[in-house]
Amino acid sequence: MTSSGRGNFGSRFAVVMALAGSAIGLGNIWRFPYMVGQYGGAAFILIYILCLVVIALPIFFAESIIGKSTGSDTFGAIEQIAPGTGWKNAGYIAIVASFVVLSFYSVVGGWSVDYLLRACTGGFRFSSGEEAAAVFSQMNSSAVEPILCLIVFLGLTAVIVSAGVDKGIGRFAKITMPLLFVMILLIVAKSLQLPGAQAGVDYMLKPDFSKISGKAIAAALGQAFFTLSLGVGTVLTYSSYMRKEENILYAGVWSAFFDTVFALLAGFAIMPAVFAFGLAPSAGPSLVFETLPVIFSQMGAAVPIIFFISILIAALTSSISMLEVVVAWLVDQKGLSRRAATIAVFVCALALGSACAISSRVFSACDFLTSNVLMMTGAFVFAIIVGWKMPKADVRTQFTNYGTSKAARATFPVVWFLIRWVVPVMIVAIAFTNLF
Ligand code: PHE
């Protein structure tokens, strides 16, 4: 039962753009291109797509089935499916995970606000990597600047969430996601024209199967998890706002498709330029805030502006989905108004975010805890709930949209097997590989 008082996404386009917006984020820009190059180019892309289809998408479907069938927040949804059991506490894991990701992710969102302002005001002239690195560390050496930018980023996130599911989240995603694709294509076009760009294309695409190790597979799986925003309740919460006629298979496949296309485009925007300028490929903050600024400052004034607007949009549509998980819980379970809930989470995330902005140890601890522990645990719980707690007939009804979706009817037996067996076993296996 979807309670109409909570609000709904008004169209299928809004649902897909919001879900793709959550998926497309910093993970696509600062992790994926580097991983591809590191772990065997096209060979890694193949493994990654396999992980996406066999493990990540089934988890997406599981979350979506829980959300859509209950029309409730993460905690309430689990309570409806397994009433009176301890399972609902698992809902708290996802809500806490979402909150923690929101806090440290917003710090990076804040940095992009800072760099966008620098790019707009002509402060973007770096002649060497050392110079760019010095600016980055100088920005972070004072607490004031990162925290001010964090306030701006979290504030923007809160304003959009507070405006409502369709009028805020849906509308923002519908406008900015197409724009994001146009902007990244512009940078790809510019980057591929640089002399020496081919080396970057080779770095991304040349298949090297000898680099496919257990570590590469674990990396592909971890990336597939993070990039589809799984295990923290964002897919569950957004799906709880789907109208009855929305199709879960369709939503999942399109989100994963746009997410993968964007990750590849980000690679083709970044790596050809990195190689053309004779720099070394890297990952994480140093790529976006140290390597790329050097390149951009030599590619004309518009390129860094377009790039940092892209990062900002990509990060915002993700942080919005994290905030919404916590807000939905406060609204549904604690009876707060959307506005009051948003303000409450804003204040708390600002506190933890400020700690992350000041201390890189707190930042790394939050990152490690969510990526390696909480997201995996959440995903495991969602798969068990759908695969082992919900009656199979109910799962089929939800997935096939009351039997109306032909494609979903045809794929259901495979999806059911993956959710019930493959996903839990693989998560446990990966947990062991990571721990020992
Ligand atoms: N998927 C986002 C990215 O790739 C990150 C994210 C994680 C968003 C968890 C929401 C929830 O950057």
Side-chain angles (χ1 to χ4, degrees):
M1 277 150 289
T2 308
S3 53
S4 52
R6 306 167 71 240
N8 278 326
F9 285 119
S11 65
R12 179 169 283 189
F13 186 59
V15 172
V16 173
M17 288 300 105
L19 282 165
S22 170
I24 295 172
L26 294 164
N28 304 53
I29 297 168
W30 84 13
R31 216 149 57 128
F32 183 79
Y34 177 78
M35 262 186 187
V36 172
Q38 273 279 296
Y39 291 121
F44 178 82
I45 295 176
L46 275 180
I47 304 280
Y48 172 77
I49 291 177
L50 204 70
C51 289
L52 210 58
V53 173
V54 176
I55 298 165
L57 259 180
I59 299 170
F60 183 106
F61 295 144
E63 275 200 43
S64 196
I65 287 167
I66 300 175
K68 192 175 174 221
S69 65
T70 57
S72 192
D73 69 292
T74 310
F75 179 88
I78 300 180
E79 172 65 359
Q80 271 189 48
I81 292 175
T85 65
W87 282 99
K88 62 171 182 273
N89 296 318
Y92 283 131
I93 298 179
I95 294 165
V96 169
S98 244
F99 172 75
V100 176
V101 185
L102 173 68
S103 305
F104 77 81
Y105 203 87
S106 297
V107 174
V108 186
W111 295 340
S112 41
V113 171
D114 191 307
Y115 272 62
L116 177 60
L117 292 176
R118 282 170 200 260
C120 289
T121 51
F124 229 81
R125 269 183 276 278
F126 303 101
S127 50
S128 69
E130 289 78 44
E131 201 186 314
V135 168
F136 185 61
S137 71
Q138 180 223 330
M139 173 183 85
N140 279 305
S141 62
S142 97
V144 180
E145 200 175 321
I147 290 179
L148 278 180
C149 292
L150 169 69
I151 294 174
V152 173
F153 182 83
L154 262 179
L156 285 171
T157 308
V159 166
I160 297 156
V161 167
S162 166
V165 175
D166 198 44
K167 291 216 163 61
I169 303 172
R171 189 189 284 172
F172 184 74
K174 279 190 294 186
I175 298 169
T176 54
M177 293 313 286
L179 193 68
L180 183 63
F181 274 86
V182 172
M183 289 192 295
I184 202 80
L185 278 169
L186 286 176
I187 304 179
V188 171
K190 189 111 180 136
S191 189
L192 287 177
Q193 280 168 19
L194 294 167
Q198 187 58 36
V201 176
D202 289 348
Y203 177 80
M204 285 282 296
L205 289 188
K206 213 174 204 164
D208 181 353
F209 283 93
S210 69
K211 289 197 181 142
I212 301 296
S213 57
K215 213 172 145 213
I217 297 171
L221 194 60
Q223 174 67 5
F225 256 83
F226 189 77
T227 194
L228 276 193
S229 317
L230 300 174
V232 297
T234 55
V235 177
L236 190 161
T237 306
Y238 274 9
S239 300
S240 76
Y241 301 126
M242 281 181 183
R243 296 170 309 170
K244 199 164 164 252
E245 61 267 34
E246 245 48 277
N247 184 325
I248 289 173
L249 174 68
Y250 178 100
V253 170
W254 279 111
S255 306
F257 174 77
F258 284 131
D259 185 52
T260 306
V261 169
F262 187 86
L264 289 168
L265 287 176
F268 290 122
I270 293 167
M271 290 308 166
V274 168
F275 281 86
F277 283 90
L279 294 168
S282 59
S286 68
L287 172 70
V288 173
F289 299 100
E290 292 175 14
T291 312
L292 292 179
V294 180
I295 297 166
F296 290 156
S297 57
Q298 292 165 49
M299 283 171 79
V303 177
I305 296 177
I306 296 175
F307 183 77
F308 282 103
I309 293 178
S310 307
I311 296 251
L312 191 58
I313 290 176
L316 269 175
T317 47
S318 296
S319 62
I320 288 167
S321 70
M322 301 161 198
L323 177 56
E324 181 57 33
V325 171
V326 194
V327 166
W329 167 64
L330 288 173
V331 170
D332 288 353
Q333 304 300 322
K334 306 286 167 200
L336 262 64
S337 70
R338 172 166 282 274
R339 188 135 181 250
T342 311
I343 294 172
V345 187
F346 169 85
V347 172
C348 298
L350 185 58
L352 182 57
S354 300
C356 293
I358 296 168
S359 155
S360 61
R361 281 183 55 198
V362 178
F363 184 105
S364 311
C366 287
D367 184 8
F368 180 85
L369 181 73
T370 44
S371 313
N372 294 295
V373 184
L374 297 177
M375 287 181 107
M376 293 277 174
T377 313
F380 183 80
V381 168
F382 294 140
I384 296 294
I385 283 179
V386 172
W388 298 88
K389 288 269 147 205
M390 275 178 85
K392 186 177 177 183
D394 289 1
V395 178
R396 186 195 283 113
T397 305
Q398 288 303 325
F399 186 69
T400 61
N401 227 5
Y402 302 87
T404 56
S405 165
K406 206 170 153 207
R409 281 203 313 268
T411 45
F412 180 73
V414 180
V415 170
W416 175 247
F417 177 74
L418 293 173
I419 294 179
R420 208 164 141 86
W421 295 103
V422 179
V423 168
V425 170
M426 282 304 287
I427 293 179
V428 172
I430 292 292
F432 271 93
T433 336
N434 286 348
L435 286 176
F436 304 108

